[in-house]
Amino acid sequence: MVQAAGTRTPVPEVSVSRIRQGARVATPLCRLADDLADLTGRRRYGLGFLLGVVTAAALPPVDLTPLIFITFPALLWLDEGCAGPAASFRLGWVFGFGYLLAGLYWIAAALFVDIAAYWWLVPVAAAGLPAVFALYYALALLFTRLAVDALRLPPTARIFAFAIAWTAAEWARGHFFTGLPWNLIGYVWSGAFPGASAMLQSVAWIGIYGLGLLTILAASLPALLGTASATPISAARRVAPVIAAGLLVGVPAAFGAGRLATHPTQPTGIWLRIVQPSIAESLKWNPAAAGMNFHRLVDLSSAPAPHPIAAVLWPEAASPFFLGRDMAARRAIAALAPPGGYVITGALRANPPPGRVEEVWNSLEAIDGKGEIVARYDKAHLVPFGEYMPLADILPFKKLTPGRIDLSAGPGPQTVALTGLPPFAPLICYEVIFPGAVVNEQDRPDWILNLTNDAWYGRSSGPFQHFAIARTRAIEEGLPLVRVANNGLSAVVDAVGRVRVLLGLDAVGHVDVSLPAPVKTTLYARAGDWVLLGLLLLAALPVASRLR
């Protein structure tokens, strides 16, 4: 309650927005902002959760990008009515929980491959992971509230503080505790919404985190339309937030459109064959189905080619055998290698014979026409709980994928050079989601090869999101990307993100494609997240001005 001056009569408590901005509500948006700020309890947090869920629809595969210009102003209006830092923290958590629950629900689908064994983990995977990662967004709103209270930030500076806090939270989510930079807010531009590809070109200069900062600023500035004032505001000043938001999107998109126009796809004349077998995960590691799975790969790889093929590409863990220990399997694969070329396959690799298997890697192996393994890459960024068990001595269960041995990690980004092929950066599965950590910049490749499975997740949003993220890495690095999936969007993407070839979800087949050429090394490839630091310092100027 607020004590009226000079009297003991209490007056009703009013929202933060009314106290700070004055009592006059001049527009419908001001009234809406005031109504949202006045919500309390379950209504506030329920709406915050719903706003998070709706925000996830801006991401692939739904691709309703404009939703962010509704949900983020509404979130900020809700936060204006929070009674203090604790309430802001709770609001940020429920928003983040809704956003991640709707965006990451598909992770639980992997458990249905063996639901009899892992039924009890379904709620943990579906809700537990979003609940933990939502803490980052809770901290973002908490930081914003603390900055507003400590520095008495005006509305515009508050928007910048929120954008900085959100971006820092996403960067932390992508790096701490092995990191999971999945569905960062910048990926709302990675789907099929008209014009999104032009905006996505920004990652060539500022990376996906930098694009996220621009996106949050642009999406949040319309919240200023709900700012009440005790004096009349001119029409020009009233629409200024909309103009600023439009410039934050329009200017980068214009430069992006220019980049697309000036960088047509340039073929190298190197032909590759992508093989997508779409083997169900329930059969993939079934010993009785190993022969059938292998023959499907062989049949798809053996079809006549209208062009000389340099390499046949198989997906992650395509070979059901330890190729280093199985000469017969290597000979069968060698028979598929084109003259002077290779079969490049994902395979589990064991420590060399003759000793028993004690260590296993998730690997890419290149096999020539003689059956020799002429190149190898071991996955470096392993999936917790799927490929190894963190806290294995404490938790009462083993990793969720087949096999009793935890996988070992490789040394990190490498460049593989094979005669007759441009040098490439190998990435296995979700290694492609980590911006700035996909190529060896000291030995820069000419293209990226991403082998993945994705059959775990069925007809969910997971495979579409994974592909959109992989496509973004091609633009960031200025390198074409070849993606070979067991099931789920095998594709060739040129160096500015245009999809040249696509095998859709559940498709069984192969496609021959000429490898696109790279473009000039991008600013982000050279500078990495130092560019982000510069952007954050610029965004901090309206906040820092209050330190005086």
Side-chain angles (χ1 to χ4, degrees):
M1 306 294 286
V2 177
Q3 183 75 25
T7 177
R8 296 176 179 270
T9 304
V11 298
E13 184 176 2
V14 294
S15 69
V16 173
S17 60
R18 286 175 178 162
I19 293 173
R20 292 179 180 159
Q21 307 303 333
R24 185 177 182 274
V25 179
T27 68
L29 283 178
C30 289
R31 288 193 291 272
L32 175 61
D34 198 62
D35 289 343
L36 292 181
D38 284 342
L39 292 178
T40 59
R42 293 179 181 178
R43 290 186 298 169
R44 171 182 293 153
Y45 300 123
L47 180 57
F49 172 81
L50 181 61
L51 289 172
V53 171
V54 172
T55 301
L59 295 161
V62 182
D63 297 326
L64 295 178
T65 303
L67 287 174
I68 61 174
F69 296 94
I70 299 172
T71 57
F72 281 102
L75 172 66
L76 290 170
W77 292 338
L78 281 174
D79 185 51
E80 285 183 348
C82 287
S88 291
F89 182 89
R90 290 192 294 270
L91 178 62
W93 185 87
V94 296
F95 179 90
F97 181 60
Y99 175 64
L100 295 170
L101 184 69
L104 298 178
Y105 74 92
W106 50 267
I107 292 177
L111 301 173
F112 283 84
V113 174
D114 189 5
I115 191 64
Y118 296 116
W119 60 269
W120 56 279
L121 275 176
V122 170
V124 176
L129 195 63
V132 172
F133 284 127
L135 292 172
Y136 289 108
Y137 299 112
L139 291 172
L141 265 191
L142 173 63
F143 171 85
T144 304
R145 170 48 61 93
L146 293 175
V148 167
D149 290 347
L151 301 177
R152 298 184 180 180
L153 295 181
T156 301
R158 174 176 177 252
I159 298 296
F160 279 83
F162 173 66
I164 293 169
W166 180 284
T167 305
E170 291 207 320
W171 190 93
R173 179 161 73 87
H175 289 79
F176 295 167
F177 310 111
T178 81
L180 187 67
W182 197 287
N183 284 358
L184 304 174
I185 199 64
Y187 287 124
V188 300
W189 306 105
S190 66
F193 189 80
S197 290
M199 187 66 177
L200 190 61
Q201 297 301 309
S202 303
V203 301
W205 301 295
I206 59 178
I208 190 63
Y209 293 113
L211 178 56
L213 176 63
L214 293 186
T215 301
I216 286 294
L217 274 176
S220 301
L221 280 170
L224 297 176
L225 297 175
T227 301
S229 175
T231 59
I233 297 176
S234 68
R237 187 177 174 187
R238 175 65 67 186
V239 300
V242 176
I243 296 173
L247 290 173
L248 283 171
V249 173
V251 173
F255 278 99
R259 186 170 189 263
L260 286 167
T262 56
H263 290 82
T265 304
Q266 297 289 342
T268 62
I270 304 293
W271 284 83
L272 306 170
R273 170 164 290 181
I274 296 172
V275 176
Q276 179 170 297
S278 293
I279 296 168
E281 195 61 36
S282 57
L283 295 175
K284 186 167 179 58
W285 299 109
N286 184 341
M292 177 184 67
N293 295 343
F294 188 71
H295 284 299
R296 178 182 291 190
L297 286 161
V298 169
D299 291 342
L300 293 171
S301 305
S302 304
H307 303 276
I309 299 294
V312 176
L313 308 177
W314 289 2
E316 177 188 13
S319 171
F321 313 111
F322 287 131
L323 295 179
R325 292 170 168 257
D326 195 328
M327 188 61 200
R330 294 207 306 274
R331 288 196 184 104
I333 293 173
L336 303 170
Y342 314 90
V343 174
I344 301 177
T345 179
L348 293 183
R349 180 177 77 85
N351 52 284
R356 69 190 186 94
V357 174
E358 295 180 339
E359 195 169 8
V360 179
W361 294 262
N362 187 354
S363 301
L364 171 151
E365 295 181 320
I367 299 172
D368 66 10
K370 298 177 181 178
E372 298 296 326
I373 299 175
V374 294
R376 176 181 287 132
Y377 167 78
D378 297 325
K379 184 178 181 182
H381 210 128
L382 301 177
V383 180
F385 304 102
E387 294 176 312
Y388 75 99
M389 274 302 300
L391 306 174
D393 296 334
I394 300 174
L395 296 175
F397 55 91
K398 301 297 183 183
K399 67 182 178 69
L400 305 180
T401 52
R404 59 182 177 80
I405 301 174
D406 282 4
L407 299 189
S408 299
Q414 298 178 22
T415 298
V416 173
L418 293 169
T419 302
L421 277 178
F424 65 90
L427 297 170
I428 297 177
C429 191
Y430 93 141
E431 285 184 312
V432 79
I433 75 172
F434 295 93
V438 295
V439 304
N440 180 356
E441 294 294 349
Q442 284 67 49
D443 184 16
R444 190 166 172 80
D446 286 345
W447 57 293
I448 299 169
L449 175 58
N450 178 212
L451 307 186
T452 190
N453 182 2
D454 284 8
W456 288 98
Y457 307 113
R459 295 200 65 84
S460 69
S461 61
F464 297 95
Q465 293 170 359
H466 200 183
F467 171 64
I469 293 170
R471 175 174 167 248
T472 305
R473 296 290 86 76
I475 304 171
E476 278 180 343
E477 297 292 339
L479 297 174
L481 178 137
V482 178
R483 190 169 192 267
V484 189
N486 171 34
N487 184 20
L489 285 73
S490 296
V492 173
V493 177
D494 74 6
V496 293
R498 284 182 289 249
V499 179
R500 311 310 303 175
V501 169
L502 180 68
L503 284 170
L505 198 63
D506 294 333
V508 177
H510 74 275
V511 62
D512 298 340
V513 63
S514 178
L515 177 69
V519 298
K520 185 178 178 181
T521 304
T522 65
L523 172 62
Y524 182 76
R526 293 193 300 268
D529 285 337
W530 289 107
V531 179
L532 173 67
L533 179 59
L535 289 174
L536 289 172
L537 291 175
L538 285 175
L541 291 179
V543 179
S545 66
R546 302 295 296 180
L547 295 175
R548 295 177 301 175

